[in-house]
Amino acid sequence: MTPTTETMVGIGGAAESTDMVLNIGPQHPSTHGVLRLRLVLDGERIMRADPVIGYMHRGAEKLFEARDYRQIIMLANRHDWLSAFSNELGVVLGVERMLGMEVPERAVWTRTLLAELNRVLNHLMFLGSYPLELGGITPVFYAFREREVLQNVMEEVSGGRMHYMFNRVGGLKEDLPAGWAARARGAVAAVRSRMDRFDDLVLGNEIFRGRTRGVGILAPEAVHAYGVSGPIARASGVDFDLRRDEPYLAYGELQDTLKVVTRKEGDCLARFEVLLEQTHNALDLADACLDRLAGLPPGPINQRLPKVLKAPEGHTYAWTENPLGINGYYLVSKGDKTPYRLKLRSASYNNIQALVELLPGTLVADMVAILGSLFFVVGDIDK
């Protein structure tokens, strides 16, 4: 019998696995900042997803330790560049709590008003950019038009367009300009009158609904496990909002106007719907604050502070319902003019972790839809 020889040709690495590792980023058009996703694929299906962060890290938490309590506001308002006023607010609330300081009523209501206007500005950006990531270019133009209307009144009151630097320990930098309240009320009314564009152009679009309905479903159990908060958590049926459940500023007196928007589906479409409905409610809250401010007598907008501001020795934790979710500020003081430690718990950092649950089992084509629906800012992750 003639001996035979077997030869194996051309299978290469496929002998071990058919999986492929694909890097999305670290610079990708569907991210608000520089994020990298490491995906393991089996054909068109995602088997594993690992968010890789740190490309924008600037060490803000360490820099806090070398800045005094007036200077840290400048650092704190930059990690989420779409929510600068709210970022400042959390820091000064923590310092004021350490000092046992009571802020004038006029400052409390003005802070609440500006925080809600900042919430609308944040949400409008995502209401325009999310459809853009799915191929719909028109909504982003409407979103920027409405943002510009509100940016004008925010710039008039603070001097800044993105990084307002308007909060101070003990209140606000200065009082509102003459006639500003009427101009702000007009801006709110103008934006509200045109918000139905997003219902018509986005929610009424069959392609958008087809790309988002039933895609990227986040279970309530995963929300709790990963500490997800804000509109993303409420879209999964987790009914929690600090403005209602642990009121700060003037929210305790706005419970009749405040509406906590929730959905049960937990998919990309539900997250967009919650964001849109929450924008409507933020405009209503801004109007309510303007009404209350109009009825307040003239008074101070801040407290007089010593030339050198020192927080007493101790520690405290302040948290706020930022536009993207819960932001926490853990402040430790040794009695100096600089914080001994200031730890930020940012909303985006926790929210983005949910990708390891959302992406496995989905198609690559749905990855951008899921990623965009988490409404994150990468600076808020890397801080």
Side-chain angles (χ1 to χ4, degrees):
M1 187 175 194
T2 306
T4 59
T5 302
E6 294 183 3
T7 305
M8 189 174 291
V9 179
I11 65 168
E16 298 180 5
S17 172
T18 57
D19 292 347
M20 179 178 72
V21 177
L22 178 66
N23 280 293
I24 305 294
Q27 296 191 10
H28 194 268
S30 70
T31 62
H32 290 268
V34 186
L35 177 72
R36 174 185 166 203
L37 289 179
R38 184 179 180 275
L39 307 179
V40 178
L41 307 179
D42 182 4
E44 289 290 313
R45 195 163 298 278
I46 299 171
M47 307 306 295
R48 191 172 75 246
D50 299 313
V52 182
I53 65 173
Y55 290 94
M56 296 188 68
H57 182 59
R58 58 192 179 88
E61 292 177 328
K62 193 64 180 174
L63 291 172
F64 288 146
E65 300 170 16
R67 306 294 194 277
D68 66 32
Y69 287 106
R70 292 179 174 90
Q71 295 169 327
I72 60 174
I73 299 172
M74 179 275 295
L75 286 169
N77 76 5
R78 281 163 163 73
H79 56 91
D80 175 1
W81 46 80
L82 298 178
S83 309
F85 186 87
S86 300
N87 298 338
E88 300 172 11
L89 188 59
V91 171
V92 297
L93 288 176
V95 179
E96 288 163 3
R97 183 175 296 178
M98 289 283 285
L99 293 167
M101 181 181 291
E102 187 173 342
V103 176
E105 186 180 17
R106 189 169 185 81
V108 171
W109 282 95
T110 305
R111 280 177 170 180
T112 311
L113 165 63
L114 296 177
E116 290 306 311
L117 292 178
N118 192 200
R119 192 180 308 277
V120 176
L121 284 167
N122 175 289
H123 290 356
L124 281 171
M125 176 64 80
F126 290 103
L127 292 174
S129 67
Y130 185 43
L132 179 65
E133 290 155 12
L134 298 179
I137 191 172
T138 307
V140 75
F141 295 118
Y142 287 106
F144 269 87
R145 182 182 69 176
E146 309 313 331
R147 275 176 54 85
E148 196 64 29
V149 173
L150 294 177
Q151 286 280 28
N152 287 339
V153 295
M154 292 293 281
E155 183 178 9
E156 182 185 358
V157 75
S158 68
R161 287 180 59 83
M162 289 190 70
H163 304 297
Y164 304 109
M165 278 300 297
F166 198 56
N167 277 289
R168 295 292 186 273
V169 176
L172 295 167
K173 176 186 173 186
E174 56 197 11
D175 208 343
L176 303 174
W180 181 87
R183 291 188 288 277
R185 194 182 293 276
V188 170
V191 172
R192 181 189 286 109
S193 69
R194 295 191 290 258
M195 284 298 295
D196 60 346
R197 302 278 189 180
F198 295 97
D199 289 298
D200 299 337
L201 283 172
V202 184
L203 290 181
N205 187 291
E206 294 181 8
I207 298 174
F208 179 83
R209 298 183 76 88
R211 290 290 307 276
T212 56
R213 187 195 284 117
V215 174
I217 297 175
L218 183 64
E221 295 78 16
V223 169
H224 294 303
Y226 287 93
V228 175
S229 60
I232 303 170
R234 292 191 284 273
S236 295
V238 178
D239 189 5
F240 181 72
D241 190 314
L242 281 178
R243 297 174 297 170
R244 179 198 64 193
D245 301 322
E246 194 173 314
Y248 58 98
L249 294 181
Y251 289 114
E253 300 181 48
L254 291 169
Q255 297 301 304
D256 292 338
T257 306
L258 176 63
K259 179 183 178 185
V260 180
V261 184
T262 60
R263 291 290 188 277
K264 294 190 179 298
E265 295 80 3
D267 57 8
C268 296
L269 180 60
R271 291 190 277 274
F272 186 87
E273 289 175 342
V274 168
L275 202 73
L276 179 56
E277 204 169 328
Q278 193 168 281
T279 307
H280 284 283
N281 186 239
L283 292 169
D284 295 338
L285 289 168
D287 263 341
C289 291
L290 285 166
D291 291 340
R292 182 59 184 268
L293 279 169
L296 289 179
I301 200 74
N302 51 36
Q303 295 273 27
R304 288 186 63 86
L305 299 176
K307 186 173 182 180
V308 177
L309 180 64
K310 295 182 179 181
E313 187 169 349
H315 60 92
T316 190
Y317 184 76
W319 57 348
T320 58
E321 186 71 41
N322 268 36
L324 298 180
I326 293 174
N327 268 34
Y329 304 83
Y330 180 60
L331 173 63
V332 181
S333 171
K334 290 296 183 72
D336 298 323
K337 65 179 182 179
T338 62
Y340 177 76
R341 184 80 171 89
L342 180 54
K343 175 72 174 70
L344 299 181
R345 186 270 188 209
S346 60
S348 297
Y349 182 81
N350 284 71
N351 292 353
I352 202 67
Q353 294 180 78
L355 284 171
V356 301
E357 292 276 344
L358 284 174
L359 290 179
T362 64
L363 298 174
V364 174
D366 292 327
M367 183 269 298
V368 173
I370 297 170
L371 184 63
S373 73
L374 291 189
F375 310 130
F376 60 89
V377 171
V378 178
D380 200 38
I381 300 170
D382 290 346
K383 54 185 186 296

